[in-house]
mmCIF file with all atom_site columns, all heavy atoms in Angstrom:
data_model
loop_
_atom_site.group_PDB
_atom_site.id
_atom_site.type_symbol
_atom_site.label_atom_id
_atom_site.label_alt_id
_atom_site.label_comp_id
_atom_site.label_asym_id
_atom_site.label_entity_id
_atom_site.label_seq_id
_atom_site.pdbx_PDB_ins_code
_atom_site.Cartn_x
_atom_site.Cartn_y
_atom_site.Cartn_z
_atom_site.occupancy
_atom_site.B_iso_or_equiv
_atom_site.pdbx_formal_charge
_atom_site.auth_seq_id
_atom_site.auth_comp_id
_atom_site.auth_asym_id
_atom_site.auth_atom_id
_atom_site.pdbx_PDB_model_num
ATOM 1   N N   . THR Z 1 49 ? -21.832 -6.576  -10.379 1.00 0.00 ? 52 THR Z N   1
ATOM 2   C CA  . THR Z 1 49 ? -20.692 -7.410  -9.969  1.00 0.00 ? 52 THR Z CA  1
ATOM 3   C C   . THR Z 1 49 ? -20.817 -8.862  -10.417 1.00 0.00 ? 52 THR Z C   1
ATOM 4   O O   . THR Z 1 49 ? -19.868 -9.626  -10.262 1.00 0.00 ? 52 THR Z O   1
ATOM 5   C CB  . THR Z 1 49 ? -20.537 -7.371  -8.431  1.00 0.00 ? 52 THR Z CB  1
ATOM 6   O OG1 . THR Z 1 49 ? -21.776 -7.749  -7.824  1.00 0.00 ? 52 THR Z OG1 1
ATOM 7   C CG2 . THR Z 1 49 ? -20.171 -5.974  -7.961  1.00 0.00 ? 52 THR Z CG2 1
ATOM 8   N N   . GLU Z 1 50 ? -21.957 -9.255  -10.985 1.00 0.00 ? 53 GLU Z N   1
ATOM 9   C CA  . GLU Z 1 50 ? -22.199 -10.689 -11.214 1.00 0.00 ? 53 GLU Z CA  1
ATOM 10  C C   . GLU Z 1 50 ? -21.225 -11.318 -12.212 1.00 0.00 ? 53 GLU Z C   1
ATOM 11  O O   . GLU Z 1 50 ? -20.812 -12.465 -12.029 1.00 0.00 ? 53 GLU Z O   1
ATOM 12  C CB  . GLU Z 1 50 ? -23.653 -10.949 -11.628 1.00 0.00 ? 53 GLU Z CB  1
ATOM 13  C CG  . GLU Z 1 50 ? -24.070 -10.323 -12.944 1.00 0.00 ? 53 GLU Z CG  1
ATOM 14  C CD  . GLU Z 1 50 ? -25.583 -10.477 -13.203 1.00 0.00 ? 53 GLU Z CD  1
ATOM 15  O OE1 . GLU Z 1 50 ? -26.252 -11.209 -12.453 1.00 0.00 ? 53 GLU Z OE1 1
ATOM 16  O OE2 . GLU Z 1 50 ? -26.064 -9.860  -14.156 1.00 0.00 ? 53 GLU Z OE2 1
ATOM 17  N N   . THR Z 1 51 ? -20.791 -10.590 -13.226 1.00 0.00 ? 54 THR Z N   1
ATOM 18  C CA  . THR Z 1 51 ? -19.897 -11.214 -14.214 1.00 0.00 ? 54 THR Z CA  1
ATOM 19  C C   . THR Z 1 51 ? -18.479 -11.390 -13.670 1.00 0.00 ? 54 THR Z C   1
ATOM 20  O O   . THR Z 1 51 ? -17.686 -12.134 -14.237 1.00 0.00 ? 54 THR Z O   1
ATOM 21  C CB  . THR Z 1 51 ? -19.832 -10.385 -15.522 1.00 0.00 ? 54 THR Z CB  1
ATOM 22  O OG1 . THR Z 1 51 ? -19.419 -9.067  -15.199 1.00 0.00 ? 54 THR Z OG1 1
ATOM 23  C CG2 . THR Z 1 51 ? -21.178 -10.363 -16.223 1.00 0.00 ? 54 THR Z CG2 1
ATOM 24  N N   . ASN Z 1 52 ? -18.153 -10.693 -12.610 1.00 0.00 ? 55 ASN Z N   1
ATOM 25  C CA  . ASN Z 1 52 ? -16.822 -10.821 -11.996 1.00 0.00 ? 55 ASN Z CA  1
ATOM 26  C C   . ASN Z 1 52 ? -16.922 -11.425 -10.595 1.00 0.00 ? 55 ASN Z C   1
ATOM 27  O O   . ASN Z 1 52 ? -16.052 -11.178 -9.752  1.00 0.00 ? 55 ASN Z O   1
ATOM 28  C CB  . ASN Z 1 52 ? -16.153 -9.445  -11.914 1.00 0.00 ? 55 ASN Z CB  1
ATOM 29  C CG  . ASN Z 1 52 ? -15.772 -8.917  -13.282 1.00 0.00 ? 55 ASN Z CG  1
ATOM 30  O OD1 . ASN Z 1 52 ? -14.813 -9.359  -13.891 1.00 0.00 ? 55 ASN Z OD1 1
ATOM 31  N ND2 . ASN Z 1 52 ? -16.575 -7.994  -13.793 1.00 0.00 ? 55 ASN Z ND2 1
ATOM 32  N N   . ARG Z 1 53 ? -17.969 -12.179 -10.365 1.00 0.00 ? 56 ARG Z N   1
ATOM 33  C CA  . ARG Z 1 53 ? -18.245 -12.640 -9.005  1.00 0.00 ? 56 ARG Z CA  1
ATOM 34  C C   . ARG Z 1 53 ? -17.101 -13.471 -8.421  1.00 0.00 ? 56 ARG Z C   1
ATOM 35  O O   . ARG Z 1 53 ? -16.763 -13.346 -7.246  1.00 0.00 ? 56 ARG Z O   1
ATOM 36  C CB  . ARG Z 1 53 ? -19.549 -13.446 -9.006  1.00 0.00 ? 56 ARG Z CB  1
ATOM 37  C CG  . ARG Z 1 53 ? -20.185 -13.654 -7.655  1.00 0.00 ? 56 ARG Z CG  1
ATOM 38  C CD  . ARG Z 1 53 ? -20.613 -12.339 -7.023  1.00 0.00 ? 56 ARG Z CD  1
ATOM 39  N NE  . ARG Z 1 53 ? -20.051 -12.211 -5.683  1.00 0.00 ? 56 ARG Z NE  1
ATOM 40  C CZ  . ARG Z 1 53 ? -20.346 -11.234 -4.821  1.00 0.00 ? 56 ARG Z CZ  1
ATOM 41  N NH1 . ARG Z 1 53 ? -21.163 -10.274 -5.157  1.00 0.00 ? 56 ARG Z NH1 1
ATOM 42  N NH2 . ARG Z 1 53 ? -19.804 -11.202 -3.644  1.00 0.00 ? 56 ARG Z NH2 1
ATOM 43  N N   . GLY Z 1 54 ? -16.519 -14.330 -9.240  1.00 0.00 ? 57 GLY Z N   1
ATOM 44  C CA  . GLY Z 1 54 ? -15.429 -15.171 -8.738  1.00 0.00 ? 57 GLY Z CA  1
ATOM 45  C C   . GLY Z 1 54 ? -14.257 -14.333 -8.253  1.00 0.00 ? 57 GLY Z C   1
ATOM 46  O O   . GLY Z 1 54 ? -13.720 -14.554 -7.157  1.00 0.00 ? 57 GLY Z O   1
ATOM 47  N N   . LEU Z 1 55 ? -13.878 -13.355 -9.063  1.00 0.00 ? 58 LEU Z N   1
ATOM 48  C CA  . LEU Z 1 55 ? -12.776 -12.471 -8.695  1.00 0.00 ? 58 LEU Z CA  1
ATOM 49  C C   . LEU Z 1 55 ? -13.117 -11.689 -7.428  1.00 0.00 ? 58 LEU Z C   1
ATOM 50  O O   . LEU Z 1 55 ? -12.310 -11.560 -6.497  1.00 0.00 ? 58 LEU Z O   1
ATOM 51  C CB  . LEU Z 1 55 ? -12.503 -11.509 -9.854  1.00 0.00 ? 58 LEU Z CB  1
ATOM 52  C CG  . LEU Z 1 55 ? -11.299 -10.594 -9.738  1.00 0.00 ? 58 LEU Z CG  1
ATOM 53  C CD1 . LEU Z 1 55 ? -10.007 -11.397 -9.698  1.00 0.00 ? 58 LEU Z CD1 1
ATOM 54  C CD2 . LEU Z 1 55 ? -11.283 -9.598  -10.887 1.00 0.00 ? 58 LEU Z CD2 1
ATOM 55  N N   . LEU Z 1 56 ? -14.349 -11.166 -7.376  1.00 0.00 ? 59 LEU Z N   1
ATOM 56  C CA  . LEU Z 1 56 ? -14.736 -10.334 -6.235  1.00 0.00 ? 59 LEU Z CA  1
ATOM 57  C C   . LEU Z 1 56 ? -14.878 -11.148 -4.955  1.00 0.00 ? 59 LEU Z C   1
ATOM 58  O O   . LEU Z 1 56 ? -14.635 -10.636 -3.859  1.00 0.00 ? 59 LEU Z O   1
ATOM 59  C CB  . LEU Z 1 56 ? -16.034 -9.584  -6.543  1.00 0.00 ? 59 LEU Z CB  1
ATOM 60  C CG  . LEU Z 1 56 ? -15.907 -8.540  -7.656  1.00 0.00 ? 59 LEU Z CG  1
ATOM 61  C CD1 . LEU Z 1 56 ? -17.246 -7.861  -7.911  1.00 0.00 ? 59 LEU Z CD1 1
ATOM 62  C CD2 . LEU Z 1 56 ? -14.852 -7.493  -7.331  1.00 0.00 ? 59 LEU Z CD2 1
ATOM 63  N N   . ASP Z 1 57 ? -15.262 -12.411 -5.087  1.00 0.00 ? 60 ASP Z N   1
ATOM 64  C CA  . ASP Z 1 57 ? -15.296 -13.254 -3.889  1.00 0.00 ? 60 ASP Z CA  1
ATOM 65  C C   . ASP Z 1 57 ? -13.895 -13.388 -3.298  1.00 0.00 ? 60 ASP Z C   1
ATOM 66  O O   . ASP Z 1 57 ? -13.710 -13.372 -2.082  1.00 0.00 ? 60 ASP Z O   1
ATOM 67  C CB  . ASP Z 1 57 ? -15.870 -14.638 -4.228  1.00 0.00 ? 60 ASP Z CB  1
ATOM 68  C CG  . ASP Z 1 57 ? -17.391 -14.609 -4.316  1.00 0.00 ? 60 ASP Z CG  1
ATOM 69  O OD1 . ASP Z 1 57 ? -18.002 -13.607 -3.878  1.00 0.00 ? 60 ASP Z OD1 1
ATOM 70  O OD2 . ASP Z 1 57 ? -17.976 -15.572 -4.843  1.00 0.00 ? 60 ASP Z OD2 1
ATOM 71  N N   . ALA Z 1 58 ? -12.918 -13.504 -4.195  1.00 0.00 ? 61 ALA Z N   1
ATOM 72  C CA  . ALA Z 1 58 ? -11.531 -13.615 -3.715  1.00 0.00 ? 61 ALA Z CA  1
ATOM 73  C C   . ALA Z 1 58 ? -11.050 -12.293 -3.112  1.00 0.00 ? 61 ALA Z C   1
ATOM 74  O O   . ALA Z 1 58 ? -10.239 -12.284 -2.191  1.00 0.00 ? 61 ALA Z O   1
ATOM 75  C CB  . ALA Z 1 58 ? -10.626 -14.030 -4.869  1.00 0.00 ? 61 ALA Z CB  1
ATOM 76  N N   . TRP Z 1 59 ? -11.559 -11.219 -3.638  1.00 0.00 ? 62 TRP Z N   1
ATOM 77  C CA  . TRP Z 1 59 ? -11.126 -9.886  -3.180  1.00 0.00 ? 62 TRP Z CA  1
ATOM 78  C C   . TRP Z 1 59 ? -12.065 -9.265  -2.150  1.00 0.00 ? 62 TRP Z C   1
ATOM 79  O O   . TRP Z 1 59 ? -11.892 -8.094  -1.805  1.00 0.00 ? 62 TRP Z O   1
ATOM 80  C CB  . TRP Z 1 59 ? -11.108 -8.924  -4.382  1.00 0.00 ? 62 TRP Z CB  1
ATOM 81  C CG  . TRP Z 1 59 ? -10.017 -9.118  -5.367  1.00 0.00 ? 62 TRP Z CG  1
ATOM 82  C CD1 . TRP Z 1 59 ? -9.000  -10.020 -5.334  1.00 0.00 ? 62 TRP Z CD1 1
ATOM 83  C CD2 . TRP Z 1 59 ? -9.849  -8.353  -6.575  1.00 0.00 ? 62 TRP Z CD2 1
ATOM 84  N NE1 . TRP Z 1 59 ? -8.211  -9.880  -6.447  1.00 0.00 ? 62 TRP Z NE1 1
ATOM 85  C CE2 . TRP Z 1 59 ? -8.691  -8.859  -7.227  1.00 0.00 ? 62 TRP Z CE2 1
ATOM 86  C CE3 . TRP Z 1 59 ? -10.541 -7.304  -7.170  1.00 0.00 ? 62 TRP Z CE3 1
ATOM 87  C CZ2 . TRP Z 1 59 ? -8.221  -8.352  -8.436  1.00 0.00 ? 62 TRP Z CZ2 1
ATOM 88  C CZ3 . TRP Z 1 59 ? -10.072 -6.791  -8.374  1.00 0.00 ? 62 TRP Z CZ3 1
ATOM 89  C CH2 . TRP Z 1 59 ? -8.922  -7.317  -9.004  1.00 0.00 ? 62 TRP Z CH2 1
ATOM 90  N N   . ARG Z 1 60 ? -13.086 -9.983  -1.698  1.00 0.00 ? 63 ARG Z N   1
ATOM 91  C CA  . ARG Z 1 60 ? -14.221 -9.319  -1.029  1.00 0.00 ? 63 ARG Z CA  1
ATOM 92  C C   . ARG Z 1 60 ? -13.822 -8.480  0.188   1.00 0.00 ? 63 ARG Z C   1
ATOM 93  O O   . ARG Z 1 60 ? -14.506 -7.522  0.524   1.00 0.00 ? 63 ARG Z O   1
ATOM 94  C CB  . ARG Z 1 60 ? -15.309 -10.311 -0.669  1.00 0.00 ? 63 ARG Z CB  1
ATOM 95  C CG  . ARG Z 1 60 ? -14.956 -11.315 0.408   1.00 0.00 ? 63 ARG Z CG  1
ATOM 96  C CD  . ARG Z 1 60 ? -16.088 -12.324 0.598   1.00 0.00 ? 63 ARG Z CD  1
ATOM 97  N NE  . ARG Z 1 60 ? -15.865 -13.179 1.729   1.00 0.00 ? 63 ARG Z NE  1
ATOM 98  C CZ  . ARG Z 1 60 ? -15.042 -14.226 1.728   1.00 0.00 ? 63 ARG Z CZ  1
ATOM 99  N NH1 . ARG Z 1 60 ? -14.366 -14.534 0.647   1.00 0.00 ? 63 ARG Z NH1 1
ATOM 100 N NH2 . ARG Z 1 60 ? -14.886 -14.951 2.810   1.00 0.00 ? 63 ARG Z NH2 1
ATOM 101 N N   . HIS Z 1 61 ? -12.711 -8.827  0.836   1.00 0.00 ? 64 HIS Z N   1
ATOM 102 C CA  . HIS Z 1 61 ? -12.308 -8.009  1.993   1.00 0.00 ? 64 HIS Z CA  1
ATOM 103 C C   . HIS Z 1 61 ? -11.659 -6.696  1.561   1.00 0.00 ? 64 HIS Z C   1
ATOM 104 O O   . HIS Z 1 61 ? -11.360 -5.847  2.394   1.00 0.00 ? 64 HIS Z O   1
ATOM 105 C CB  . HIS Z 1 61 ? -11.357 -8.801  2.894   1.00 0.00 ? 64 HIS Z CB  1
ATOM 106 C CG  . HIS Z 1 61 ? -12.064 -9.885  3.643   1.00 0.00 ? 64 HIS Z CG  1
ATOM 107 N ND1 . HIS Z 1 61 ? -11.565 -10.455 4.795   1.00 0.00 ? 64 HIS Z ND1 1
ATOM 108 C CD2 . HIS Z 1 61 ? -13.246 -10.502 3.423   1.00 0.00 ? 64 HIS Z CD2 1
ATOM 109 C CE1 . HIS Z 1 61 ? -12.407 -11.379 5.232   1.00 0.00 ? 64 HIS Z CE1 1
ATOM 110 N NE2 . HIS Z 1 61 ? -13.427 -11.429 4.409   1.00 0.00 ? 64 HIS Z NE2 1
ATOM 111 N N   . ASP Z 1 62 ? -11.441 -6.555  0.271   1.00 0.00 ? 65 ASP Z N   1
ATOM 112 C CA  . ASP Z 1 62 ? -10.792 -5.343  -0.248  1.00 0.00 ? 65 ASP Z CA  1
ATOM 113 C C   . ASP Z 1 62 ? -11.638 -4.671  -1.328  1.00 0.00 ? 65 ASP Z C   1
ATOM 114 O O   . ASP Z 1 62 ? -11.090 -3.961  -2.177  1.00 0.00 ? 65 ASP Z O   1
ATOM 115 C CB  . ASP Z 1 62 ? -9.411  -5.691  -0.809  1.00 0.00 ? 65 ASP Z CB  1
ATOM 116 C CG  . ASP Z 1 62 ? -8.485  -6.255  0.258   1.00 0.00 ? 65 ASP Z CG  1
ATOM 117 O OD1 . ASP Z 1 62 ? -8.276  -5.554  1.268   1.00 0.00 ? 65 ASP Z OD1 1
ATOM 118 O OD2 . ASP Z 1 62 ? -8.025  -7.388  0.106   1.00 0.00 ? 65 ASP Z OD2 1
#
Side-chain angles (χ1 to χ4, degrees):
Chain Z
T52 55
E53 63 187 351
T54 57
N55 291 285
R56 197 63 233 187
L58 186 64
L59 294 179
D60 281 347
W62 287 358
R63 68 185 188 281
H64 288 201
D65 298 303

